[in-house]
Amino acid sequence: MKGRPILGTLAVLGYIIMIVPILFVVSTAFTAGDALTFPPQGVSLRWFGEALAYQPFVGALLSSLQLAVVSTALALLLGVPVTLAIQRGKIPGKSLVEGLFLSPLVVPELVVGLALYQQIMIGLHQTSFVALLVGHTVLLLPYAVRVTGASLALADPAVEEAARGLGATPLRTFFSVTLPLLRPGIFSAGLLSFVTSFNNVPLSLLLQSRQFRTLPVTMLDYVQQSYDPMIAAMSTLILAGTVVIAIVAEKTLGFAKIFGGINK
């Protein structure tokens, strides 16, 4: 910061803009009052208990967990072979193929949701869960391809060549050498994909139904009708879960190493 006071000031302002609203939400979650007010009226865990006992939140939480786990698994099952083909294969137009699988990052989610609604729910008469599963899997593919690709790019191809040179079959080379090299990237991509799917709103809002509703959409509906601290308590619980996941990932794998390879 010494040599760049303007950049340092902007960085501090950026952190303040991001963190202060979160602190307001967290503090109001512990209020003993009956409304979202700041400063909080006393300290109590009352609203956390009510949030965990509110059936629409509990049902939507289970739905979100189910959708996030299955879509993350499908994205990894599709993304890892694509990563291997891009990084190790000899296919023409590798950059074009990679760009195709990264394109969901730039396509508006509402456009994707509308297309899925027309083709899957109306055209094929499938449930909203199927449409959401396809949509979330598509949205998570860029994370699976890019993060696992970064992990594989950091690995030395000579290790795999040595295994094949010693007589290992391609399948054994994959499970004995390549997969262990990919494991940090797969784990990181899985965590990012899970959090992204769990917190998704635009796609889930468009494709939800009465039978299947995700937690973020249910919370959005609730805050439009009620103004009590229960929504702040549920938001704080989600924030705490996300922070725990990030800490565990950093301690076990080190996100900096994986994400550092993304820019190489």
Side-chain angles (χ1 to χ4, degrees), residues 170-196:
L171 189 62
R172 185 171 182 179
T173 301
F174 172 77
F175 283 105
S176 300
V177 179
T178 309
L179 189 58
L181 294 174
L182 275 174
R183 189 176 292 123
I186 292 175
F187 190 56
S188 300
L191 289 176
L192 279 175
S193 299
F194 177 84
V195 172
T196 301

Side-chain angles (χ1 to χ4, degrees), residues 2 10 24 34 127 149 165 172 206:
K2 290 183 178 180
L10 291 176
F24 277 112
D34 296 325
T127 63
R172 185 171 182 179
L206 188 60

Side-chain angles (χ1 to χ4, degrees), residues 1-53:
M1 284 190 182
K2 290 183 178 180
R4 301 176 179 178
I6 297 179
L7 291 179
T9 303
L10 291 176
V12 172
L13 288 176
Y15 279 115
I16 292 175
I17 291 172
M18 290 188 295
I19 293 176
V20 170
I22 296 176
L23 295 178
F24 277 112
V25 172
V26 173
S27 62
T28 54
F30 290 92
T31 184
D34 296 325
L36 281 169
T37 57
F38 187 87
Q41 303 171 356
V43 179
S44 173
L45 297 177
R46 163 194 171 190
W47 294 106
F48 289 96
E50 295 200 16
L52 294 175

Side-chain angles (χ1 to χ4, degrees), residues 165-231:
L166 292 173
T169 62
L171 189 62
R172 185 171 182 179
T173 301
F174 172 77
F175 283 105
S176 300
V177 179
T178 309
L179 189 58
L181 294 174
L182 275 174
R183 189 176 292 123
I186 292 175
F187 190 56
S188 300
L191 289 176
L192 279 175
S193 299
F194 177 84
V195 172
T196 301
S197 174
F198 186 89
N199 292 319
N200 180 271
V201 172
L203 194 62
S204 301
L205 182 63
L206 188 60
L207 298 177
Q208 70 172 352
S209 66
R210 292 183 178 180
Q211 292 74 30
F212 193 91
R213 298 171 65 85
T214 62
L215 182 58
V217 175
T218 302
M219 292 173 63
L220 181 62
D221 292 341
Y222 183 86
V223 79
Q224 292 175 340
Q225 302 170 6
S226 303
Y227 198 68
D228 58 49
M230 186 163 65
I231 194 70

Side-chain angles (χ1 to χ4, degrees), residues 43-231:
V43 179
S44 173
L45 297 177
R46 163 194 171 190
W47 294 106
F48 289 96
E50 295 200 16
L52 294 175
Y54 187 57
Q55 186 55 42
F57 282 175
V58 175
L61 172 62
L62 296 177
S63 298
S64 291
L65 290 173
Q66 177 188 7
L67 179 61
V69 169
V70 178
S71 59
T72 296
L74 289 177
L76 291 175
L77 287 174
L78 294 172
V80 171
V82 171
T83 299
L84 289 172
I86 293 174
Q87 296 288 338
R88 297 290 190 260
K90 297 180 179 180
I91 57 176
K94 287 184 180 182
S95 58
L96 180 62
V97 174
E98 185 176 14
L100 177 64
F101 281 91
L102 297 180
S103 61
L105 290 175
V106 297
V107 178
E109 292 185 26
L110 290 178
V111 175
V112 176
L114 180 60
L116 292 173
Y117 178 78
Q118 292 178 331
Q119 297 299 321
I120 295 181
M121 297 184 69
I122 296 180
L124 300 177
H125 305 289
Q126 296 296 316
T127 63
S128 61
F129 174 75
V130 175
L132 280 169
L133 182 59
V134 173
H136 279 226
T137 302
V138 170
L139 292 179
L140 301 182
L141 273 176
Y143 298 99
V145 173
R146 198 72 175 104
V147 178
T148 55
S151 181
L152 192 59
L154 294 173
D156 188 358
V159 179
E160 299 168 76
E161 295 174 1
R164 288 192 293 267
L166 292 173
T169 62
L171 189 62
R172 185 171 182 179
T173 301
F174 172 77
F175 283 105
S176 300
V177 179
T178 309
L179 189 58
L181 294 174
L182 275 174
R183 189 176 292 123
I186 292 175
F187 190 56
S188 300
L191 289 176
L192 279 175
S193 299
F194 177 84
V195 172
T196 301
S197 174
F198 186 89
N199 292 319
N200 180 271
V201 172
L203 194 62
S204 301
L205 182 63
L206 188 60
L207 298 177
Q208 70 172 352
S209 66
R210 292 183 178 180
Q211 292 74 30
F212 193 91
R213 298 171 65 85
T214 62
L215 182 58
V217 175
T218 302
M219 292 173 63
L220 181 62
D221 292 341
Y222 183 86
V223 79
Q224 292 175 340
Q225 302 170 6
S226 303
Y227 198 68
D228 58 49
M230 186 163 65
I231 194 70

